[in-house]
Amino acid sequence: MGGVAVDTGAAGVKAPDGGWGWAVLAGCFVITGFSYAFPKAVSVFFKELIREFGVGYSDTAWISSILLAMLYGTGPLCSVLVNRFGCRPVMMVGGLFASLGMILASFSTSIIHIYLSAGVITGLGLALNFQPSLIMLNRYFSEKRPLANGLSAAGSPVALCCLSPLGQVLQYQYGWRGGFLILGGILLNCCVCAALMKPLVAPKMLKDKDLEQASEEGPEGAEKKKKPKAKLLDFSVFKDCGFLIYTVAASIMVLGLFVPPVFVVSYAKELGNEDTKSALLLTILGFIDIFARPTCGVIAGLKWVRPRCVYLFSFALIFNGTTDLIGSQAKDYASLVVFCIFFGVSYGMVGALQFEVLMAIVGTEKFSSAIGLVLLMEAIAVLVGPPGAGRLLDATKNYMYVFLLAGSEVVLSAVVLATCNFLFIRKKSSTPADKLENIAVTDDAKTAMCSELAETNDEEEKGTREEQERETEKEVVKELKEEGEETDKEKVEEVRPESVTVDSEEVERFLKEPQQNGDMAVSPETCL
């Protein structure tokens, strides 16, 4: 490899929308699955940990909470590292951290050691893989980006369906320590995915042209063309009204988005269903989610839908929140199955569109900083949302209020996103149009004035030109006359000889010839 290739976006390089981008998409699929499914898959080992260390369920639940907090909260740090070193090196280090954390956790002697190893170190490693993978996906896809986002987001439910049964098998065969050790080895596949993230390089033709221009302009031109230093964390995204609206709406959304999957199994048990039957609800939800995400990506890529992707995202949020509100009235297992089907569809739509909308708002250059700042804001909401719903459940002892709260929060986020985008972003886009119209009107007036001045100037110029032409014609005529006189003189001089000799006989004949009346006798010399 030779050195670190800092992939700062490859300015002037068009997104290939295919080719090696499909390999990048495969890597994003795997990393998204690890990032979102691993915190849930670890919960399979909680009973063994409770028995091993003599702690409560709430203590072990902090492992998943710390993993999610590190995944979301370290967003700005990931942005700084990506802008400084590039995506591939950061992901390589992240894969090593994720694996190292689980390996160290297998040797833990207290629950605090697991917090630090499986929670902090593994969470940091997954964060260093998740965010750069999205950045690379954004650079490799432009026209097909909605489809690419939908396919990569499908990695989350697929990995959840695979890792949870795998964790149960590992726990049964090797115990929690052996299971943690094997999962640490599996996480080394993040390094393989990181190797797929090849930086985009400008074509040779562009490089040769730049070199030729630099050589022609000399050292001064080369210094002028030097790229300015990239900001490690670009806070100018906060000046973008669309980014602010998205950040506020996403923070409200996260408060209630993850609550139903956490409590739906307990809700089914509360209604008197068996454990295996209740756990089947998550399998149904995940299976629907697998197909919902790519399908939504295809729909978002349509020509008439993509410019209105923000409103499609708002519809997905309203769909999800309304499903929560209706699902709160479920009284039997069949109604919960219907709830999981519709929730899986809406949850998949939200997962496929959330980062696509952010990419469309801020663009490729600022996406690395924007996603870090958004994830930091969402981290606060992740730490508040599910625990807040748990406290509400402890106070009311009724799951209906938990689902009502979650649904109202998600619907509120959709209302904020759609309303603010319609009011503020539309006004912002209309004002430049008005300015352009004013500029066009003033330009037309200026052109009219200029045309009038030009016409007057043209008339004056025509008059002066005619006078000049007349003078030139007179001068030409004079010159021609003078030349004609000179030529006549030259001809006379040529015809007239230098010395004339007259014969006497010819003179006598001339005198003897009769002359007409009125004619004048001509001298012999002139006659000759």
Side-chain angles (χ1 to χ4, degrees), residues 125-183:
L126 291 175
L128 293 177
N129 275 272
F130 176 62
Q131 185 172 326
S133 67
L134 291 177
I135 294 170
M136 289 301 296
L137 190 69
N138 183 36
R139 291 176 182 172
Y140 268 89
F141 289 92
S142 178
E143 295 180 0
K144 298 179 181 178
R145 192 177 62 201
L147 175 62
N149 277 311
L151 291 172
S152 65
S156 174
V158 170
L160 183 61
C161 293
C162 296
L163 288 178
S164 294
L166 177 63
Q168 292 177 353
V169 172
L170 293 177
Q171 180 186 354
Y172 179 76
Q173 294 289 337
Y174 306 103
W176 70 270
R177 293 184 186 274
F180 276 19
L181 190 64
I182 293 172
L183 287 176

Side-chain angles (χ1 to χ4, degrees), residues 104-135:
L104 292 176
S106 65
F107 299 100
S108 298
T109 56
S110 68
I111 194 69
I112 296 176
H113 294 164
I114 295 180
Y115 291 162
L116 295 175
S117 56
V120 176
I121 298 176
T122 300
L124 177 62
L126 291 175
L128 293 177
N129 275 272
F130 176 62
Q131 185 172 326
S133 67
L134 291 177
I135 294 170

Side-chain angles (χ1 to χ4, degrees), residues 53-68:
F53 299 113
V55 295
Y57 184 81
S58 60
D59 296 324
T60 56
W62 273 101
I63 299 173
S64 297
S65 299
I66 294 171
L67 274 168
L68 286 173

Side-chain angles (χ1 to χ4, degrees), residues 230-367:
K231 295 180 180 179
L232 296 180
L233 193 60
D234 191 359
F235 289 98
S236 65
V237 291
F238 285 108
K239 296 179 182 179
D240 189 350
C241 185
F243 174 75
L244 292 176
I245 294 170
Y246 177 87
T247 304
V248 173
S251 301
I252 299 172
M253 171 194 73
V254 172
L255 288 172
L257 184 65
F258 301 121
V259 171
V262 173
F263 289 97
V264 67
V265 176
S266 302
Y267 193 7
K269 291 178 181 179
E270 185 74 15
L271 295 176
N273 297 292
E274 299 177 357
D275 291 351
T276 54
K277 198 175 180 181
S278 301
L280 183 62
L281 292 173
L282 283 180
T283 305
I284 295 171
L285 193 155
F287 182 77
I288 299 296
D289 192 7
I290 291 173
F291 297 98
R293 297 192 183 213
T295 304
C296 185
V298 173
I299 295 172
L302 298 176
K303 291 182 179 180
W304 59 275
V305 176
R306 191 170 184 183
R308 303 168 182 83
C309 194
V310 175
Y311 298 107
L312 180 63
F313 184 46
S314 302
F315 169 76
L317 292 174
I318 292 175
F319 185 16
N320 186 269
T322 306
T323 303
D324 294 342
L325 295 175
I326 297 174
S328 64
Q329 307 301 319
K331 301 299 181 183
D332 54 5
Y333 186 78
S335 57
L336 284 178
V337 170
V338 175
F339 163 76
C340 287
I341 291 173
F342 283 97
F343 185 85
V345 174
S346 60
Y347 190 74
M349 292 176 66
V350 173
L353 292 172
Q354 58 177 341
F355 295 116
E356 166 61 25
V357 172
L358 181 60
M359 291 175 186
I361 290 173
V362 299
T364 304
E365 293 181 359
K366 295 184 179 181
F367 180 71

Side-chain angles (χ1 to χ4, degrees), residues 419-432:
T419 305
C420 294
N421 188 77
F422 180 78
L423 295 176
F424 297 104
I425 304 301
R426 191 174 181 181
K427 284 183 180 179
K428 185 178 179 182
S429 61
S430 63
T431 50

